[in-house]
Amino acid sequence: MSSPLKSLLRAAAPLPGETGRFAMGLSGFILLLAVLPILSMIVMSFSGASNLDFPPASYSLQWYKAAWNTFVSPDASDVLSLGQALTTSLLVATLSMLFATLVAVPAAYALVRCEFRGKAVALQLMSLPLVFPMVVLGLALLLIFDNLPFQLSTSRLVIAHVILALPFVVKNCTAAMLSIGNEVEEAAQMLGASPLRAIVDVVVPLMRSGILAGMLLAFIISFNEFTVTYFLYNIDVMTVPIWMYSRTVSSLDPTVFSFAVLIVLIDFALIWALEKLVGDGGVSF
Amino acid sequence: MALSTLTRQVGVAPLRPAKTFSPTARAWLFLSPAMLFLGVLIAASLLVLRMSVGTKGAEWSGFSLASYAQLLEPYYLKSLLLTLRLALVSALIAVLLAIPVGYCMSRLQSPLLRRVFLAAVLLPLLVNLLLQSYGWLVILGPGGMVNQALMGLGLIDRPVMLLYNQTGVLMGLVQTAFPLAVLPIASAMRGVSRSYEEAAATLGASRAQVFRQVVLPMSLPGIITGATLVFAYNASSFVVLLLLGGRRVPMLAVMVHDQIAPLMNWPAASAAGVVLIVTTLAIMTFSEFVTGRRRRILEASQ
């Protein structure tokens, strides 16, 4: 009588190598904590009150209305409107994405396909921006750009963002290239393609999803960058994160939360697209 | 016709100029555009090094170690120790939290759950730290989530101060750097084949034993890498301090900025920056050494 129940229970128990319910629950809880700041900010943006008490006393869309008004008719007191900051942000992110990808694809090819002297050094250098203190990078780039004989405006942000995004893009391109065998390239060359043409027409299209993932990552990183940009921005060139910070230095008004929700939504859409693109393989970091 | 074209092409191949390149030259040619950007980074760090031994007012011509001597004053020394301590504690907490999450991520079957987990890991890493700090203000503020909950439970009468001190900063540091611990741990655990777990279980190990004695030791290189990344990232953390520390938690990164913005003391800022770089490089080298040795032992034992 109890034996079917027992076997049912045994079937439900996780096999070795499967995650138990306890581990799943614990991980879920930890991940909830990890995204809690983002979630609480989203809830706060719907607050009907004008303070930061949580949970809010009432809910309304008043901050979204206020945010919309700021967007369409900027105060004269603002040094720069959100529209301009958004344009700059998108421009910088797009340029950084393009440059980082153009630079990373050949680098990935060299790192995967070639055996050469100094490869270990090259690999170390590629991951250097990942661990390089961002504050020092900001300080150092500011030193360089301020001592140049000519003025750079948007391009100094692009250069900084390309450096920051490079390890991520190279990593994704390398992973994509590793999954393509040497033989396709050899076949193309045997059929008469020059080595360069074999790369451009055969290898690069096969790497498409890895390259696209790298591009998306570069865009997200540039669009969200704060620390280095904080050192490099000036009145004419300001990205959205800097604009938001300059608004909240004196006091935190919840309109900022509605802008923040918009940005989080954009980020989430990009991340979701990124994961879909890379599929089950997972993004490489 | 087509066949003769083919044979001719193959015969011509060895004469192509591309073949005359040495492989090393070819590889570095491909690497050169990326190196251009990394060259900027290296040139920039050398500039910082030069600036750090300059003197205020004569940054490029002077030479003195005064900026480094200044770092040995009690105030700066305390800030250095605080930086190291907060980075170390945050790395330990982040790794402890990341181990179960990394394990689940490496063993998840359902594609949808995997995407949700990965998204939850990537959001804190990729979403602008400024926005996440706003979220922390909501959670930790005097009328925030934590204080309301504690007062509701009757544990405290008045709101406790969680912002603008080390508690708030530590929480912010752990949360923002958490993904850096999860990703290498998950990838290391994915590398531990399930057959090891099955073998251990067949030999009578309980689930906890399998995890503690098989999975954990085998993914130790990933765990160390994760801890190192969090440490390096948090040692130079800036945004979290700017917003959650309110300048009352003087870690090194904030000092680098303060030396420039109000004080215009480039040599002092550079010296603090050099200390940050050296700390980061030292901890990375150490971790490389430990994981390298560990990996060799693992490979030898397999």
Side-chain angles (χ1 to χ4, degrees):
Chain A
M1 167 106 182
S2 70
S3 71
L5 191 71
K6 245 186 202 162
S7 68
L8 198 73
L9 275 177
R10 204 176 302 138
L15 293 166
E18 277 175 12
T19 44
R21 211 161 284 156
F22 172 71
M24 276 297 285
L26 185 64
S27 315
F29 178 68
I30 294 171
L31 281 179
L32 186 71
L33 287 184
V35 293
L36 193 61
I38 297 176
L39 293 181
S40 57
M41 189 191 68
I42 293 175
V43 172
M44 209 57 194
S45 71
F46 293 103
S47 163
S50 55
N51 56 19
L52 287 184
D53 285 358
F54 195 95
S58 62
Y59 294 91
S60 79
L61 287 175
Q62 55 164 334
W63 299 117
Y64 284 89
K65 278 190 207 120
W68 177 249
N69 287 334
T70 327
F71 186 67
V72 288
S73 57
D75 295 349
S77 60
D78 277 350
V79 267
L80 203 72
S81 74
L82 175 65
Q84 277 168 293
L86 197 61
T87 317
T88 311
S89 262
L90 291 176
L91 179 70
V92 169
T94 311
L95 286 176
S96 311
M97 173 182 84
L98 291 178
F99 278 113
T101 316
L102 282 179
V103 151
V105 173
Y109 183 84
L111 290 175
V112 173
R113 284 294 149 84
C114 309
E115 283 307 320
F116 57 98
R117 252 174 292 150
K119 188 173 181 175
V121 179
L123 277 171
Q124 287 285 331
L125 277 179
M126 283 295 165
S127 56
L128 186 63
L130 212 55
V131 293
F132 200 84
M134 289 221 250
V135 182
V136 185
L137 182 64
L139 166 73
L141 288 176
L142 187 61
L143 266 177
I144 287 199
F145 293 140
D146 274 2
N147 285 292
L148 283 178
F150 45 87
Q151 281 286 315
L152 295 171
S153 54
T154 316
S155 41
R156 57 198 220 161
L157 294 186
V158 175
I159 294 173
H161 290 183
V162 169
I163 294 176
L164 286 172
L166 202 56
F168 295 95
V169 187
V170 170
K171 196 77 195 285
N172 272 286
C173 291
T174 327
M177 194 160 270
L178 274 173
S179 64
I180 306 166
N182 239 339
E183 60 277 359
V184 284
E185 212 180 322
E186 278 164 14
Q189 289 190 33
M190 223 170 270
L191 291 170
S194 71
L196 192 66
R197 212 177 138 211
I199 297 173
V200 174
D201 281 355
V202 178
V203 181
V204 171
L206 282 172
M207 288 167 66
R208 199 176 46 230
S209 68
I211 294 177
L212 276 175
M215 289 175 89
L216 268 179
L217 261 177
F219 189 91
I220 300 173
I221 290 170
S222 168
F223 192 68
N224 284 292
E225 214 294 317
F226 180 83
T227 313
V228 177
T229 317
Y230 185 62
F231 279 81
L232 296 178
Y233 82 93
N234 54 34
I235 295 297
D236 305 318
V237 188
M238 210 185 251
T239 61
V240 173
I242 302 291
W243 180 85
M244 289 178 69
Y245 179 70
S246 68
R247 254 187 94 86
T248 51
V249 191
S250 45
S251 70
L252 194 65
D253 73 304
T255 43
V256 168
F257 286 93
S258 2
F259 292 130
V261 169
L262 180 75
I263 292 174
V264 168
L265 282 180
I266 296 176
D267 284 338
F268 186 77
L270 289 173
I271 291 174
W272 199 250
L274 183 74
E275 289 179 22
K276 182 167 181 66
L277 202 68
V278 187
D280 272 352
V283 194
S284 342
F285 284 93
Chain B
M1 184 70 198
L3 206 70
S4 72
T5 326
L6 274 180
T7 39
R8 192 174 51 77
Q9 292 286 10
V10 172
V12 170
L15 294 173
R16 283 211 185 94
K19 300 264 173 186
T20 60
F21 272 113
S22 87
T24 306
R26 202 167 77 115
W28 282 103
L29 186 72
F30 276 121
L31 282 171
S32 55
M35 285 303 156
L36 211 64
F37 282 97
L38 293 174
V40 174
L41 174 67
I42 292 165
S45 28
L46 290 178
L47 269 184
V48 170
L49 191 62
R50 169 66 190 91
M51 183 67 89
S52 70
V53 291
T55 50
K56 197 178 173 184
E59 282 89 355
W60 300 111
S61 47
F63 179 86
S64 87
L65 291 173
S67 310
Y68 287 100
Q70 193 191 6
L71 283 177
L72 291 175
E73 284 169 18
Y75 175 74
Y76 294 100
L77 212 55
K78 244 165 74 184
S79 144
L80 179 64
L81 286 178
L82 176 75
T83 307
L84 295 179
R85 201 182 71 226
L86 282 180
L88 185 69
V89 174
S90 63
L92 288 179
I93 301 176
V95 164
L96 274 183
L97 293 175
I99 286 174
V101 177
Y103 182 66
C104 280
M105 280 183 74
S106 70
R107 295 289 185 266
L108 274 181
Q109 299 290 316
S110 133
L112 179 71
L113 263 184
R114 270 161 71 148
R115 272 179 82 175
V116 172
F117 262 58
L118 191 59
V121 171
L122 289 182
L123 272 175
L125 180 68
L126 294 174
V127 169
N128 179 349
L129 291 185
L130 186 72
L131 306 190
Q132 305 196 51
S133 298
Y134 292 155
W136 277 111
L137 296 180
V138 174
I139 296 173
L140 299 177
M145 200 186 285
V146 173
N147 272 320
Q148 298 274 7
L150 287 179
M151 283 196 286
L153 290 172
L155 291 175
I156 49 171
D157 305 324
R158 287 182 300 129
V160 276
M161 196 64 179
L162 294 166
L163 282 173
Y164 312 123
N165 59 24
Q166 290 184 24
T167 322
V169 168
L170 187 63
M171 283 195 239
L173 289 179
V174 170
Q175 184 256 339
T176 50
F178 172 71
L180 291 173
V182 174
L183 293 170
I185 291 177
S187 103
M189 288 187 170
R190 214 170 287 135
V192 179
S193 164
R194 263 176 182 222
S195 40
Y196 291 112
E197 289 175 71
E198 282 159 12
T202 317
L203 292 171
S206 69
R207 290 185 66 81
Q209 273 177 318
V210 172
F211 185 72
R212 209 168 56 80
Q213 295 179 356
V214 177
V215 180
L216 267 190
M218 287 188 81
S219 48
L220 201 58
I223 296 175
I224 295 172
T225 307
T228 317
L229 282 177
V230 176
F231 182 91
Y233 187 75
N234 279 346
S236 57
S237 162
F238 177 66
V239 184
V240 172
L241 291 166
L242 200 65
L243 281 133
L244 299 183
R247 308 256 162 145
R248 256 169 260 185
V249 184
M251 277 170 76
L252 269 188
V254 176
M255 283 179 34
V256 171
H257 187 261
D258 284 353
Q259 292 291 351
I260 306 176
L263 300 173
M264 292 299 275
N265 190 349
W266 292 88
S270 303
V274 169
V275 171
L276 268 182
I277 298 182
V278 171
T279 314
T280 314
L281 288 184
I283 193 83
M284 293 309 287
T285 317
F286 176 70
S287 133
E288 196 72 21
F289 172 74
V290 175
T291 51
R293 236 181 67 178
R294 185 87 205 168
R295 210 170 290 133
R296 278 195 294 281
I297 295 171
L298 267 179
E299 273 161 13
S301 69
Q302 275 168 25

